[in-house]
């Protein structure tokens, strides 16, 4: 299974369009949305080209391919805009040879791990900084970074699993 990991879109359709186009070129079976889809959040300010209604429309076009989790900026009203569930704090996605624990990162992360054995890879966003590392306990941490509001000197990015390897892509 090939998976496109997108996080922290924060209502910016131009950034989402670039990530989806790059994902289309790579090919994918699932899109894992790691939260903070529509709203920019009070700490971020209003990003350029902010249009959460357009982002909802774009994501709804892919509703059958999406597995999503709630971010700290996602609210019940956001669920009214999209045609796929976004209110779970986590999901476990079984890709055959790997199990991914999908979450936003504000509840589970490197410092508060999910139960050992539930998954091989903890995938989260929230920090807006791409990361890939393996902890001493054997769990891999993968953060695709932010599609629209990168932080820590990083670039706009997304993550990809080709069925064997995890990678970051800059958009």
């Amino acid at each position: 299974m090939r998976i496109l990991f997108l996080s922290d879109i924060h209502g910016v359709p131009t950034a989402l369009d670039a990530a989806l186009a790059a994902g289309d070129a790579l090919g994918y079976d699932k899109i894992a949305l790691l939260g903070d889809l529509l709203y920019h959040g009070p700490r971020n300010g209003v990003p350029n080209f902010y249009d959460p209604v357009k982002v909802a429309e774009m994501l709804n076009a892919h509703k059958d391919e999406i597995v999503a989790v709630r971010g700290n900026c996602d609210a019940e009203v956001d669920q009214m805009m999209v045609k796929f569930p976004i209110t779970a704090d986590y999901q476990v996605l079984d890709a055959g040879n790997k199990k991914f624990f999908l979450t936003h990162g504000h509840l589970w992360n490197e410092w508060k791990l999910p139960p050992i054995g539930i998954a091989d890879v903890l995938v989260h966003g929230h920090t807006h900084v791409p990361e890939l590392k393996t902890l001493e306990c054997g769990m891999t941490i993968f953060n695709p970074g932010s599609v629209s509001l990168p932080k820590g000197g990083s670039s706009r990015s997304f993550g990809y699993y080709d069925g064997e390897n995890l990678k970051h892509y800059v958009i």
Side-chain angles (χ1 to χ4, degrees):
M1 177 184 297
R2 298 165 303 164
I3 306 167
L4 183 64
F5 296 100
L6 305 179
S7 190
D8 299 284
I9 300 165
H10 290 289
V12 181
T14 53
L16 176 58
D17 187 52
L20 289 172
D24 286 342
L26 292 167
Y28 57 85
D29 302 297
K30 289 283 182 194
I31 300 172
L33 297 177
L34 304 173
D36 288 359
L37 306 178
L38 304 180
Y39 181 56
H40 57 84
R43 293 182 301 167
N44 295 313
V46 180
N48 289 337
F49 312 110
Y50 181 64
D51 189 348
V53 173
K54 178 69 174 169
V55 167
E57 291 169 357
M58 293 169 70
L59 292 173
N60 286 336
H62 295 276
K63 67 181 180 185
D64 295 332
E65 302 152 332
I66 289 176
V67 58
V69 296
R70 178 184 66 86
N72 62 309
C73 292
D74 296 324
E76 290 179 24
V77 70
D78 297 334
Q79 180 63 77
M80 296 169 57
M81 298 295 296
V82 296
K83 298 178 180 178
F84 50 89
I86 64 167
T87 58
D89 289 328
Y90 73 90
Q91 300 260 8
V92 176
L93 180 58
D94 189 338
N97 59 340
K98 286 198 187 300
K99 280 188 182 175
F100 297 94
F101 185 94
L102 309 175
T103 192
H104 181 61
H106 65 297
L107 299 176
W108 286 280
N109 50 52
E110 179 179 348
W111 299 276
K112 186 176 179 202
L113 294 173
I116 299 297
I118 196 170
D120 308 299
V121 182
L122 168 61
V123 185
H124 71 84
H126 187 57
T127 66
H128 298 220
V129 178
E131 183 175 40
L132 175 60
K133 67 181 176 182
T134 301
L135 304 178
E136 286 183 27
C137 67
M139 181 171 276
T140 298
I141 305 289
F142 184 64
N143 185 328
S146 174
V147 169
S148 65
L149 298 169
K151 294 184 179 177
S154 63
S155 298
R156 291 180 176 187
S157 62
F158 66 92
Y160 185 71
Y161 178 67
D162 65 9
E164 292 184 26
N165 299 301
L166 288 161
K167 288 184 69 175
H168 293 105
Y169 287 87
V170 172
I171 50 175

